Amino acid sequence: MKELLLSREKVKRNFGENSVLQGIDLSIYAGDFTVVMGSSGSGKSTLLYALSGMDTVSSGKVVYQGRDITALSEKELAHLRAGEFGFVFQRMHLVSSLSLYENIVIAGYISNKGTEEEIREKADKLVERMNLSGAEKRLPSEASGGEAQRAAIARAVISSPQILFADEPTGALNKANTLEVLDLFSALNREGQSVVLVTHDKEAALRGNRILYLEDGMVVGELELTPYDGKDRKREEQLNRWLEDRGW
């Protein structure tokens, strides 16, 4: 039986009179690669931000490991996000005045998980794994899009988060860099990292073992797939049929 990490209970998110999320019930399980799809404006990113405590909800609650995070103060939420959640966005949000390496290390310091020496040792291993040679000397402006996103992934996972949240992480990348980034997400998931990824890209969605489809702020479909291995064509056909049934 899968371990329940996070759940949403009848969550609504309104912006004025516009209801973006309409009473969603949803569970996230340890080890899953959960993908959230849907047309533009369906509430995908709003769902991710509410799940992760980056945005407030209008009603309902979000429960992380038995704790109602909608009842936490902003200080408590910031502590939770720094230590338990990792974030990767389409725009990398790297600090422009810091080197790629410094962007990664500082996230480790903020998480307060380990000594300075331990955090730097982990950062060194991540730099090697993410193929970021020269990261100590290069600013984000001197990196390619793919390198910057790999640095952002390293920054997100240096705290050993329980859940890695990603919002359209390949949206600004070319095909080669997209494949490289998706391979990293798949490798992390195989090692046990729980992932929640928002995307409109079928190639990215194929990496998931659980696909959720949003429409007008509601989950209107869910598909369970076998774990991704890059070889199962039937898996791809299954996803294509499922998306076509939803007018994709």
Side-chain angles (χ1 to χ4, degrees), residues 216-230:
D216 297 328
M218 296 182 290
V219 177
V220 297
E222 179 173 344
L223 176 66
E224 295 281 346
L225 294 172
T226 56
Y228 177 81
D229 65 5

Side-chain angles (χ1 to χ4, degrees), residues 18 34 43 98 122 135-136 151 154 163 179 183 194 200 239:
N18 184 26
T34 302
L98 299 180
K122 189 170 184 180
E136 299 87 349
I163 305 176
L179 180 61
D183 284 345
S194 305
H200 66 277
L239 175 62

Side-chain angles (χ1 to χ4, degrees), residues 4-247:
L4 177 64
L5 283 182
L6 187 149
S7 63
R8 294 185 55 156
E9 301 173 13
K10 302 193 183 326
V11 167
K12 294 185 179 181
R13 182 63 171 105
N14 303 324
F15 294 93
E17 296 182 357
N18 184 26
S19 180
V20 179
L21 301 177
Q22 303 190 43
I24 290 179
D25 290 327
L26 175 64
S27 298
I28 301 297
Y29 298 96
D32 271 359
F33 194 137
T34 302
V35 174
V36 182
M37 301 189 76
S39 60
S40 179
S42 61
K44 301 187 299 297
S45 293
T46 302
L47 174 63
L48 183 143
Y49 297 150
L51 279 174
S52 62
M54 291 186 66
D55 190 16
T56 58
V57 300
S58 301
S59 63
K61 62 182 179 179
V62 179
V63 179
Y64 170 67
Q65 293 191 329
R67 189 181 186 190
D68 180 4
I69 70 172
T70 55
L72 300 182
S73 67
E74 185 51 47
K75 183 178 181 179
E76 290 171 322
L77 276 173
H79 181 74
L80 177 71
R81 291 192 297 262
E84 300 296 314
F85 300 155
F87 300 91
V88 183
F89 305 96
Q90 180 173 332
R91 296 181 181 275
M92 292 73 172
H93 299 301
L94 296 172
V95 180
S96 60
S97 59
L98 299 180
S99 70
L100 297 176
Y101 184 79
E102 288 169 332
N103 270 277
I104 298 167
V105 166
I106 284 179
Y109 294 157
I110 292 172
S111 73
N112 199 29
K113 289 185 176 180
T115 65
E116 180 177 345
E117 182 180 355
E118 289 169 337
I119 290 168
R120 285 191 171 273
E121 182 179 345
K122 189 170 184 180
D124 291 341
K125 291 178 179 178
L126 284 169
V127 163
E128 182 178 358
R129 177 174 188 174
M130 303 294 172
N131 192 22
L132 292 169
S133 59
E136 299 87 349
K137 301 177 181 179
R138 286 189 295 144
L139 296 172
S141 61
E142 299 169 321
S144 68
E147 288 173 325
Q149 193 60 294
R150 296 199 301 277
I153 294 171
R155 177 186 61 182
V157 300
I158 193 170
S159 63
S160 300
Q162 287 289 327
I163 305 176
L164 179 59
F165 292 96
D167 188 10
E168 300 283 7
T170 60
L173 303 179
N174 62 29
K175 187 172 182 178
N177 284 325
T178 290
L179 180 61
E180 198 169 47
V181 165
L182 291 177
D183 284 345
L184 282 170
F185 275 105
S186 292
L188 289 166
N189 180 245
R190 283 194 298 271
E191 294 162 13
Q193 177 67 63
S194 305
V195 179
V196 179
L197 182 147
V198 165
T199 188
H200 66 277
D201 181 4
K202 284 196 296 185
E203 291 301 315
L206 273 171
R207 301 307 179 107
N209 67 285
R210 183 184 182 212
I211 320 296
L212 304 176
Y213 196 88
L214 260 63
E215 190 174 286
D216 297 328
M218 296 182 290
V219 177
V220 297
E222 179 173 344
L223 176 66
E224 295 281 346
L225 294 172
T226 56
Y228 177 81
D229 65 5
K231 302 174 183 178
D232 188 351
R233 298 296 298 179
K234 290 182 179 179
R235 193 174 176 283
E236 183 175 355
E237 292 168 2
Q238 186 180 359
L239 175 62
N240 286 334
R241 287 195 304 270
W242 186 78
L243 288 173
E244 288 171 5
D245 288 344
R246 277 144 193 84

